[in-house]
């Protein structure tokens, strides 16, 4: 996406335009590679669109201006589209909505989990999310984890396990957490069979201490309880898709300009320094977990254990 158009790039066919319009951003390819969901910023708010990978007419799926207003809790006047991700299954988009308080009311931060069928357009309420930003679905889509941080008055965080189709939430882990604690997408990684999951919880609130390294690693077992496994000198943790390896970054300067990228076992043991980066960050693993991408000094590199990086 270049904010004015959405493009697809095929290995054999090259680049082709899928959609055109102002404000296009955040494209996401469905797991079966049949659909591309994307967002559009308009004067009235955020919209969610989808177009088939092979091309065709784009569909408007969600519009901030026309979101449902039924079942709003007391003190809230409307919903706002906050985030979207492909969920379990190839046709379902996970939708996160924020609840907007009425003017002059100091209502707590709240979010909801919805599900959207990209083919039919059907929108379905799933669950309350509280302060959590997103669900982390198990591979079979039957359950998910959420990480919720506390408030200034009650700085206590929790990781909870919930069935997708309702049911009581099970608390897997509690930890100290004010609203300023670091949060990032790679904090949870399910095993491929859904029997267990890795969870990474930063030690301190963002920016404290400097540099803000230090992360505790937990293992969620089949009883739904998370046990501490290790503590590593990491800022962000990224598990490979097969759950066998880990990449993590740590800052080595107080200005946060320099950081290091390490490769390690899934539990953080046997770390090996791969590269020192300037304004760097880990981008992601390949589906096989053999290779990865990272950014260093505004350049993109491909890396692999035991191999030199390639720009």
């Amino acid at each position: 996406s270049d904010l004015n158009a959405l493009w697809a790039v095929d290995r054999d066919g090259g680049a082709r335009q899928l959609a055109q319009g102002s404000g296009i951003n955040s494209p996401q390819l469905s797991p079966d590679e049949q659909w591309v969901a994307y967002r559009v910023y308009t004067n009235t708010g955020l919209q969610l669109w989808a177009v088939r990978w092979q091309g065709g007419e784009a569909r408007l799926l969600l519009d901030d201006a026309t979101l449902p207003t039924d079942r709003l809790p007391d003190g809230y006047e409307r919903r706002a589209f906050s985030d979207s991700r492909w969920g379990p299954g190839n046709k379902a988009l996970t939708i996160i909505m924020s609840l907007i308080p009425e003017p002059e009311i100091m209502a707590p931060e709240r979010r909801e989990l919805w599900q959207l069928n990209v083919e039919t357009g059907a929108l379905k309420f799933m669950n309350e999310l509280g302060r959590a930003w997103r669900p982390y679905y198990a591979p079979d889509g039957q359950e998910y984890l959420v990480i919720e941080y506390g408030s200034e008055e009650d700085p206590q965080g929790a990781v909870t396990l919930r069935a997708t189709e309702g049911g009581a939430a099970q608390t897997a882990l509690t930890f100290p957490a004010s609203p300023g604690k670091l949060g990032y997408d790679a904090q949870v990684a399910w095993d491929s069979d859904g029997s267990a999951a890795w969870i990474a919880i930063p030690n301190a609130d963002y920016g404290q201490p400097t540099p803000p390294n230090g992360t505790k690693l937990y293992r969620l077992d089949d009883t739904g309880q998370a046990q501490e496994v290790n503590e590593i000198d990491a800022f962000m943790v990224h598990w490979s898709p097969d759950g066998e390896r880990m990449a993590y970054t740590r800052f080595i300067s107080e200005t946060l300009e320099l950081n290091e990228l390490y490769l390690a076992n899934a539990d953080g043991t046997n770390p090996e320094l791969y590269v020192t980066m300037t304004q760097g960050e880990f981008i992601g693993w390949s589906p096989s977990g053999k290779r990865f991408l990272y950014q260093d000094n505004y350049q993109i590199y491909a890396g692999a254990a035991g191999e030199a990086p390639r720009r």
Side-chain angles (χ1 to χ4, degrees), residues 75 97 107 129 166 177 197 245 251 278 294:
M97 294 193 193
L129 283 180
R245 298 284 288 165
F251 287 111
T278 301
Y294 68 93

Side-chain angles (χ1 to χ4, degrees), residues 18-102:
L18 293 179
Q20 190 173 13
S22 177
I24 291 178
N25 68 95
S26 306
Q28 297 173 312
L29 183 63
S30 65
D32 63 0
E33 302 179 357
Q34 296 300 305
W35 289 91
V36 181
Y38 61 95
R39 303 171 203 173
V40 175
Y41 291 108
T42 72
N43 293 333
T44 59
L46 190 60
Q47 295 178 341
L48 179 65
W49 291 72
V51 64
R52 291 191 180 274
W53 173 261
Q54 297 301 328
E57 186 175 351
R59 301 182 182 182
L60 175 60
L61 300 176
L62 211 61
D63 189 338
D64 251 349
T66 59
L67 293 178
T69 56
D70 58 306
R71 297 185 314 96
L72 280 171
D74 291 342
Y76 297 88
E77 64 176 5
R78 64 182 180 89
R79 294 179 172 91
F81 171 42
S82 176
D83 193 17
S84 61
R85 302 168 187 269
W86 288 103
N90 291 316
K91 304 297 185 291
L93 277 161
T94 294
I95 306 297
I96 310 300
M97 294 193 193
S98 297
L99 302 187
I100 307 302
E102 295 175 356

